[in-house]
Amino acid sequence: MTSQPPDRTRWRRTAMLTLAAVTVVPWSITACSTAQPGATPPLTTVTVTRTPKPLPTSLPTSAPVPTPTPTSSPAPVPGATSVPVELEGTWRSLDQGSAEVLYTFRPDGRFERAEVMMQSRSSGTFEFDIGTKGVVDVTGSTLTLTPQGGVQTLHDPDSPSGSYDGRPLDDLSKETYRWSREGENLVLVGRFGAVTYEPMTQEAPR
């Protein structure tokens, strides 16, 4: 029995959700204020009676002007290098059969990847999603990915007991590709051959 490709719209929506899920994993922790927004303190009338102070015999000296503290630039992402402008943006794989891969390469050297495989079966839809984040190093035509985390989800209608959601990745091995541009498209050549990607956005989200 051969599997049928799933609905294309659902397929791409799942890929985008997987990419979004790995993107929201925080790279740094930001402190939040504990003040309640919109709170107005109660008004209180206070009457104060005091003896007037004598006038000063000499003019007060002006207070020294504080020296502004220089702001430091954001710390770079450890292990990351700047990404060539030709790589920046989000890319979607072409002609991958029952699978689809999305890459986002950011200017500061970070990347996110969403891999989605879906198959329609008589028992239901088989789905395997992998979301990965990490840093990318580009030297000439060589592109090296260093994963730093991610999650995977498996829904198997033929084996419900073996299904799971959001399991941490246990393989964070480095990956090396040769990259090039063919017109508007990106081509990555890895150990499983060449894959062509079309641009979804030319400017990566910051």
Side-chain angles (χ1 to χ4, degrees):
M1 178 182 63
T2 58
S3 60
Q4 299 296 323
D7 177 71
R8 199 74 181 178
T9 301
R10 177 185 173 188
W11 191 1
R12 290 185 174 173
R13 183 170 62 249
T14 302
M16 291 301 296
L17 289 174
T18 303
L19 188 65
V22 73
T23 302
V24 298
V25 176
W27 290 84
S28 61
I29 299 176
T30 305
C32 298
S33 172
T34 58
Q36 297 298 322
T40 304
L43 297 177
T44 303
T45 302
V46 179
T47 302
V48 178
T49 303
R50 63 180 181 180
T51 303
K53 298 176 64 175
L55 294 175
T57 57
S58 61
L59 294 177
T61 58
S62 59
V65 178
T67 303
T69 303
T71 58
S72 58
S73 301
V77 179
T81 59
S82 59
V83 171
V85 66
E86 295 88 351
L87 274 174
E88 292 181 17
T90 299
W91 305 85
R92 178 173 57 204
S93 63
L94 300 174
D95 304 323
Q96 287 290 284
S98 59
E100 184 167 277
V101 181
L102 296 181
Y103 273 104
T104 292
F105 294 108
R106 302 180 184 274
D108 62 1
R110 293 178 293 156
F111 82 90
E112 289 91 32
R113 177 176 62 197
E115 302 169 86
V116 176
M117 183 173 69
M118 299 180 70
Q119 296 176 345
S120 294
R121 300 176 178 177
S122 59
S123 54
T125 300
F126 173 90
E127 182 179 332
F128 185 43
D129 309 331
I130 302 176
T132 309
K133 71 171 185 176
V135 295
V136 56
D137 177 73
V138 180
T139 304
S141 61
T142 300
L143 183 149
T144 302
L145 302 179
T146 303
Q148 296 181 329
V151 294
Q152 56 188 1
T153 295
L154 173 66
H155 293 162
D156 187 351
D158 296 324
S159 180
S161 62
S163 300
Y164 52 83
D165 291 287
R167 178 177 294 179
L169 292 181
D170 52 7
D171 184 5
L172 300 178
S173 303
K174 285 188 177 183
E175 306 169 23
T176 301
Y177 301 87
R178 285 190 294 108
W179 74 278
S180 61
R181 289 289 301 271
E182 292 186 357
E184 293 186 351
N185 294 335
L186 169 68
V187 178
L188 296 181
V189 182
R191 58 176 178 169
F192 299 115
V195 178
T196 300
Y197 297 82
E198 65 178 354
M200 294 186 66
T201 62
Q202 283 302 317
E203 182 179 355
R206 303 284 169 166

